[in-house]
Amino acid sequence: MITFIVSILILIGGYFIYSKVVEKIFGIDDHRATPAYTKNDGLDYMPMNWVKATLIQLLNIAGLGPIFGAILGALYGPVAFIWIVIGCLFAGAVHDYFSGMLSVKHGGEQYPSLVGRYLGKHVKSIINLISLILMILVAAAFTAGPAQLVEQLTPLSYTASLLFIFVYFVLAAVLPINKLIGRIYPIFGLILIIMAVSIGFALFFMDYSIPNITLENLHPKELPLWPLLMVTISCGAISGFHSTQSPILARTLKKESEGRKVFFGAMIAEGIIALIWAAAGMTFFGGTEGLQGALAEGGAAGVVNEISKTTLGQFGGILAVLGVIILPITTGDTALRSSRMMLVELLGRYGKTNYRFKTAFMTIPVIIPTYLLTQMDYSFLWRYVGWTNQVVATVMLWTAAMYLLQHAKFHWICSIPALFMTAVTSSYIFYAPEGFHLSYELSMIYGSIIFLAVLGWFIYQIYTYKNKSISLENAA
């Protein structure tokens, strides 16, 4: 119990202290006009109250991610608390802040364009493809589950449920941000918070107490902690999907100082939500063995439903249904909105087509593959979301590190977590079933080779920019 409480306090304290350090290193200027004013188009670019923007950002980046991922991560035991706290504060929140504020700095640019600015056009070309694939995978994964639940609870068939959801998706993707997202998402964001806070209080009255910290791996199937935990718990710790969502709200900020609240603050809130659900998962069923049995029987959605109904009664049952249906849908629709924005930005140089027509037209190529993928097995989709998601996060951290390096700022706040995530993703892809499925030992060797190669590249970048700075000083 003490570990759980201390973990929450660290995240809250980290927001008030470390977020200001990150903001100072980035360098804000409230006298600069933000894209919400300089590019106001009545669709994506328009000023929005920061409280509303924060709730929308939380809903966009969270959905069911910090709930399902945290529950699956709880199988490893209390060590999951360590990853959530460290990952959220020093990697995830920094990642979200820079992905949002670099977008503000560069006129609301999308994630691939930011990557191209600081890592080069070749990396941008690759990341354009990877990020679009991630958006479509996320949208498909977060559509299939809710459609299955709607089928169970209503007379609608699975296909009819999908069509209903996709009609909503199209509206959310093409309407001005203040018409649909700006009006109802803050309400759904509050539902997500109320759901987590209610479960958090209920934890103190459970039959079992929340376990305290231990570095022991308690996974019932003895899956290795490294690097699987860091991919299993992404939302709540660090998630590349966030870097595709932050530019949506970057186009609505009234002033740069609001970025700390909207981007850093929403990520800390998501980390707290992940802590609550990880604690609930490893406590409610009497340990990781019990949790494994519950997951085998009803999946993560069944675990959420059982915990909510048992601890909160009818109110919890309503929250669980709302959460399992609404939250993933709101993640799916903003995934499609951001992919539409990426395509518009990518193809913007071709002709002078009416912007609103292009916006509607660019929704089609992302809607169709998303719908087709919903016909596949949900668990198959989710496996590929995990690694792709963390690769996107790693590239964003390197983008931020290069920005800081090029501007002679303290790059270590981004380069250290970037190196860590490079080690995670490079070792995971060799070991994971959806990757090369090699032995653990061989996967660690290959992962280490890639890590050392990237480290060597970054040391060369440091040396290069240091020499440039010296040359400029001598010239002056």
Side-chain angles (χ1 to χ4, degrees):
M1 182 68 75
I2 294 175
T3 301
F4 173 65
I5 295 172
V6 169
S7 296
I8 291 178
L9 292 176
I10 290 174
L11 285 184
I12 294 173
Y15 168 73
F16 287 105
I17 299 172
Y18 192 57
S19 67
K20 293 181 180 179
V21 173
V22 172
E23 180 184 62
K24 185 176 181 180
I25 291 172
F26 177 83
I28 63 168
D29 182 359
D30 278 344
H31 295 295
R32 269 195 302 255
T34 61
Y37 294 106
T38 59
K39 294 188 174 183
N40 192 325
D41 61 1
L43 180 64
D44 295 319
Y45 293 89
M46 58 179 64
M48 184 180 293
N49 177 275
W50 73 265
V51 175
K52 183 183 289 188
T54 302
L55 288 172
I56 294 172
Q57 173 74 356
L58 175 61
L59 194 66
N60 285 1
I61 66 175
L64 282 179
I67 300 177
F68 280 12
I71 287 172
L72 293 173
L75 289 169
Y76 292 91
V79 69
F81 291 149
I82 299 176
W83 166 236
I84 292 172
V85 172
I86 295 177
C88 176
L89 186 57
F90 296 106
V94 173
H95 165 280
D96 288 15
Y97 182 80
F98 274 87
S99 61
M101 292 307 296
L102 283 176
S103 180
V104 172
K105 183 179 179 65
H106 296 295
E109 281 187 354
Q110 291 293 297
Y111 164 71
S113 296
L114 297 175
V115 171
R117 277 184 178 273
Y118 296 102
L119 296 181
K121 62 181 181 180
H122 297 301
V123 179
K124 178 185 176 181
S125 299
I126 297 171
I127 215 64
N128 256 315
L129 178 62
I130 293 177
S131 54
L132 283 171
I133 290 173
L134 174 61
M135 294 302 94
I136 292 171
L137 284 172
V138 167
F142 280 158
T143 302
Q148 291 170 357
L149 191 58
V150 171
E151 180 187 21
Q152 296 171 14
L153 299 175
T154 71
L156 292 175
S157 65
Y158 177 71
T159 302
S161 302
L162 279 178
L163 290 174
F164 178 79
I165 292 171
F166 273 97
V167 168
Y168 164 77
F169 276 1
V170 172
L171 292 175
V174 302
L175 285 176
I177 193 168
N178 66 334
K179 296 297 183 183
L180 184 61
I181 292 176
R183 289 181 178 177
I184 65 173
Y185 275 39
I187 298 172
F188 293 154
L190 284 173
I191 290 175
L192 177 64
I193 293 172
I194 291 170
M195 187 179 181
V197 171
S198 300
I199 295 296
F201 277 111
L203 289 174
F204 292 91
F205 303 99
M206 286 186 179
D207 293 334
Y208 302 98
S209 61
I210 302 172
N212 284 317
I213 196 65
T214 173
L215 296 179
E216 183 181 0
N217 182 0
L218 301 179
H219 200 290
K221 293 185 178 180
E222 298 183 348
L223 295 179
L225 194 66
W226 172 275
L228 300 188
L229 177 62
M230 292 75 191
V231 177
T232 302
I233 303 180
S234 55
C235 291
I238 177 171
S239 167
F241 177 69
H242 299 187
S243 63
T244 68
Q245 300 303 291
S246 294
I248 296 178
L249 277 302
R251 299 179 177 192
T252 70
L253 295 191
K254 293 181 178 179
K255 53 185 180 179
E256 293 186 4
S257 59
E258 292 177 347
R260 187 172 66 89
K261 304 166 188 173
V262 175
F263 304 123
F264 206 104
M267 183 61 212
I268 293 298
E270 188 188 60
I272 293 173
I273 292 170
L275 281 174
I276 290 171
W277 281 101
M282 65 183 74
T283 303
F284 184 83
F285 300 97
T288 56
E289 292 283 352
L291 174 59
Q292 178 65 48
L295 286 168
E297 185 175 339
V303 168
V304 171
N305 191 42
E306 186 173 350
I307 291 175
S308 300
K309 283 184 176 180
T310 304
T311 56
L312 303 176
Q314 186 176 2
F315 174 68
I318 295 171
L319 285 178
V321 171
L322 285 173
V324 175
I325 293 178
I326 293 176
L327 297 182
I329 291 175
T330 57
T331 299
D333 64 15
T334 51
L336 291 180
R337 186 180 184 93
S338 59
S339 59
R340 180 267 293 169
M341 290 162 66
M342 288 179 192
L343 282 174
V344 169
E345 191 171 278
L346 176 64
L347 303 176
R349 63 183 181 275
Y350 299 117
K352 295 184 179 180
T353 309
N354 178 272
Y355 182 74
R356 287 182 180 273
F357 173 79
K358 189 188 297 182
T359 293
F361 184 74
M362 283 298 103
T363 306
I364 298 173
V366 293
I367 283 283
I368 293 175
T370 300
Y371 179 81
L372 294 175
L373 283 172
T374 59
Q375 309 304 307
M376 296 184 178
D377 178 60
Y378 175 85
S379 59
F380 172 84
L381 288 174
W382 191 246
R383 286 204 305 270
Y384 286 94
V385 168
W387 181 75
T388 308
N389 185 43
Q390 298 304 62
V391 168
V392 169
T394 304
V395 174
M396 183 63 236
L397 284 171
W398 280 122
T399 300
M402 286 303 297
Y403 159 76
L404 293 174
L405 182 62
Q406 290 175 18
H407 290 82
K409 298 175 183 285
F410 189 75
H411 64 80
W412 297 109
I413 61 169
C414 291
S415 54
I416 289 177
L419 284 167
F420 180 86
M421 291 306 299
T422 298
V424 168
T425 54
S426 57
S427 56
Y428 180 89
I429 193 59
F430 290 109
Y431 179 70
E434 64 269 27
F436 295 99
H437 206 187
L438 302 178
S439 68
Y440 186 76
E441 292 76 14
L442 202 55
S443 300
M444 296 306 104
I445 292 173
Y446 288 155
S448 298
I449 292 172
I450 294 175
F451 170 80
L452 291 173
V454 173
L455 176 61
W457 163 81
F458 189 63
I459 290 173
Y460 174 76
Q461 297 301 317
I462 294 174
Y463 175 79
T464 300
Y465 281 100
K466 184 178 180 181
N467 284 346
K468 283 184 179 180
S469 298
I470 294 172
S471 298
L472 289 173
E473 288 176 5
N474 291 336

